[in-house]
């Protein structure tokens, strides 16, 4: 199979489309109660926590201090974005408005930032040959499905349609094909920036978990169900990541 910029773009585009599959489980649900809203936040928090752990490990292996720098920048970025959105009461996003729209926008922003590092990873991997590139592409595509689920867990229970949630999930992953091509063409330059990019995405995700998702899950979910659900989501996602890289 000939590898060029166009084929790298197509492979990376597939990983973006796979993110939309995370919304499919919501085709089975017609209504969502407040306790389920809390459980959904707990699941999203668990998935994002596990994803952050994987990013930090991968980043540290490539460059420890670059990863730490990226984490710091990611935290500052999220705090600044949250403060900017907090001062706007007119924020709307599809059927969502107010606090729900702000939360959805923050989650999509986090996942979009994360997608940049994944796109660079796809491009860099194809620089090492077609076999490695296809393997990494498949791994990231499968990994993107629970990330789409995390976005949908924030949007659908608050009144957004499954189709729109899937579309926003795909939108959050569009940086993957956009960044995969330049990363493939300039492997050395982008490979050096990857640790900071991984750290940035991890820092942004961890802030979202601690500042938004966990408090909401504890408020809405009954008893200790949020803690147990979040814990099981972390374990399941970590096991899934280990299987992908095994």
């Amino acid at each position: 199979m000939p590898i060029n910029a166009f084929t790298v773009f197509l492979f990376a585009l597939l990983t973006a489309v796979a993110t939309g599959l995370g919304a499919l489980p919501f085709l089975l649900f017609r209504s969502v109660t407040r306790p389920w809203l809390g459980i959904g936040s707990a699941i999203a928090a668990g998935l994002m926590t596990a994803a952050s752990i994987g990013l930090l490990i991968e980043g540290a292996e490539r460059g420890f201090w670059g990863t730490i720098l990226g984490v710091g920048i990611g935290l500052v970025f999220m705090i600044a974005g949250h403060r900017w959105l907090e001062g706007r009461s007119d924020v709307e996003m599809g059927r969502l408005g107010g606090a729900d729209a702000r939360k959805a926008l923050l989650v999509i922003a986090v996942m979009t930032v994360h997608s940049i590092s994944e796109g660079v990873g796809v491009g860099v991997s194809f620089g090492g040959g077609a076999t490695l590139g296809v393997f990494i592409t498949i791994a990231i595509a499968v990994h993107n499905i629970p990330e789409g689920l995390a976005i949908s867990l924030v949007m659908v229970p608050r009144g957004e349609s499954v189709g729109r949630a899937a579309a926003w999930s795909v939108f959050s992953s569009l940086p993957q094909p956009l960044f995969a091509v330049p990363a493939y063409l300039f492997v050395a330059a982008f490979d050096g920036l990857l640790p900071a990019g991984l750290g940035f995405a991890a820092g942004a995700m961890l802030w979202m978990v601690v500042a938004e998702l966990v408090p909401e899950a504890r408020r809405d979910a009954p008893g200790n169900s949020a803690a147990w659900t979040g814990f099981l989501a972390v374990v399941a996602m970590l096991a899934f990541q280990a299987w992908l890289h095994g």
Side-chain angles (χ1 to χ4, degrees), residues 32 37-38 40-41 95-97 99-101 103-104 151-161 212-213 216-217 219-220:
V32 179
L37 187 63
S41 294
R95 298 179 183 176
L96 306 183
D100 290 342
K103 191 179 299 296
I151 292 174
S152 300
L153 282 165
V154 174
M155 299 187 70
V156 178
R158 290 172 173 80
E160 191 55 275
S161 68
E212 294 284 340
L213 296 177
E216 183 171 281
R219 184 190 70 221
D220 294 337

Side-chain angles (χ1 to χ4, degrees), residues 141-208:
V142 175
H143 175 79
N144 279 354
I145 296 174
E147 291 180 1
L149 175 61
I151 292 174
S152 300
L153 282 165
V154 174
M155 299 187 70
V156 178
R158 290 172 173 80
E160 191 55 275
S161 68
V162 175
R164 284 182 177 271
W168 277 110
S169 297
V170 173
F171 174 82
S172 74
S173 290
L174 289 181
Q176 291 173 18
L178 297 179
F179 278 82
V181 174
Y184 167 71
L185 296 174
F186 307 100
V187 172
F190 277 86
D191 195 39
L193 295 173
L194 194 52
L198 294 169
F200 187 101
M205 275 202 233
L206 289 173
W207 184 92
M208 187 70 201

Side-chain angles (χ1 to χ4, degrees), residues 48-68 71 114 194-203 206 234 237-239 241-242 245:
M48 292 173 71
T49 298
S52 299
I53 293 172
L55 290 172
L56 290 172
I57 292 173
E58 184 179 350
E61 290 175 348
R62 292 173 175 270
F64 178 81
W65 292 112
T67 303
I68 296 299
V71 169
H114 176 37
L194 194 52
L198 294 169
F200 187 101
L206 289 173
V234 170
M237 187 64 169
L238 288 175
Q241 289 177 334
H245 294 90

